[in-house]
Amino acid sequence: MSLLVLRAGPSVLVQDLGRPGHASVGVTASGAADRAAAATALRAVGTDPAAAVLEVLLGGLTVQTDSPAVVAVTGAVGVVVVVTPSGSRRTAATGEVLRLDAGARLEIGTPDAGLRSYLAVRGGLDVAPVLGSRSRDTLAGLGPAPIVAGDRLDVGDRVVGPWADGWHPAASGGARGGGVGKAGVELDIIPGPRDDLFPGEAWDVLAATGHVSGHADRVGVRIDPARPVPRLSRAEIPSEGMVRGAVQIPADGAPVVFGPDHPVTGGYPVIGVLTARSADRISQLLPGTPVRLRRLRGVAD
């Protein structure tokens, strides 16, 4: 069984849980940018949570099956269309589990909310792993090449249970990607390891409303703050190991939040690290989205 890619959008990548454990040789973990959305898609189609999915940036993907398939699209909220072999079209909800006939097409349109959609097929995508993972690391250039029109993707047999027949996002908390209120998106941050290099005022700045800048990708997201985040010293520090969700404060005071393909070291002080849920959430935020960072009290006071 396989999927034929008829059309690919600006960025379509194969992703899984990533390749942790290789930082000592300069390789970051990578993996799905919105881990919760990818996990939901795999769970909905009864597939191993470590299997591979497609991460689709800003839609624009069309695939065709050569055999009956069960699929789910999660993450960014938008239009999903199923085209039967006879040519009839049906609009589906993001998050809905879909049964496709052989020869059917699945179209993922431009999202109404959010950036990244996740397409899971029952059995998982069967592509060659690199260092134990099928994830594409955009910074290092590791893993499967970006997907383009004409690619044929084999489907594996990593089935672990039944698919969620009749499952609908309305019954399961909805799809991810929306919900930006007037006050903006609030992201939780755990202080440290270098919060001692910042005055208390720095937390007030982070808690004020900034905006996601246009400098955002899988490596990191730059935030345009309400005003520059102050530091006790403008000097760089010796390079230290970095993790996903780390919030670095460069000398210009504009926070940079590391994504899944972040460098393994950095020389700017890290005032804190986003929680796993918030690290997922920031991967779905469009440039210009108002955002605030909320310090978790009692974690490292």
Side-chain angles (χ1 to χ4, degrees), residues 22-114:
H22 300 287
S24 62
V25 293
V27 178
T28 194
S30 193
D34 186 342
R35 293 161 292 191
T40 297
L42 288 165
R43 185 164 61 249
V45 296
T47 297
D48 185 342
V53 299
L54 287 183
E55 181 178 277
V56 184
L57 179 68
L58 294 174
L61 176 70
T62 301
V63 297
Q64 184 175 39
T65 65
D66 63 3
S67 303
V70 176
V71 302
V73 179
T74 60
V77 179
V79 176
V80 178
V81 176
V82 175
V83 184
T84 67
S86 63
S88 63
R89 299 171 65 87
R90 177 174 83 85
T91 300
T94 302
E96 187 176 348
V97 176
L98 304 169
R99 300 176 69 173
L100 305 180
D101 295 329
R105 300 198 309 271
L106 181 77
E107 302 174 355
I108 301 176
T110 303
D112 298 318

Side-chain angles (χ1 to χ4, degrees), residues 131-161:
L131 294 178
S133 170
R134 294 174 169 84
S135 286
R136 175 66 178 182
D137 181 338
T138 59
L139 182 62
L142 290 175
I147 302 304
V148 298
D151 285 348
R152 187 174 291 276
L153 304 171
D154 291 332
V155 176
D157 58 1
R158 302 179 69 171
V159 173
V160 295

Side-chain angles (χ1 to χ4, degrees), residues 200-217:
E201 179 192 356
W203 292 104
D204 297 331
V205 177
L206 292 175
T209 300
H211 295 83
V212 175
S213 81
H215 300 282
D217 55 22

Side-chain angles (χ1 to χ4, degrees), residues 242-264:
M242 291 292 142
V243 297
R244 179 179 185 160
V247 181
Q248 278 195 332
I249 309 296
D252 65 3
V256 176
V257 182
F258 277 163
D261 295 349
H262 64 85
V264 296

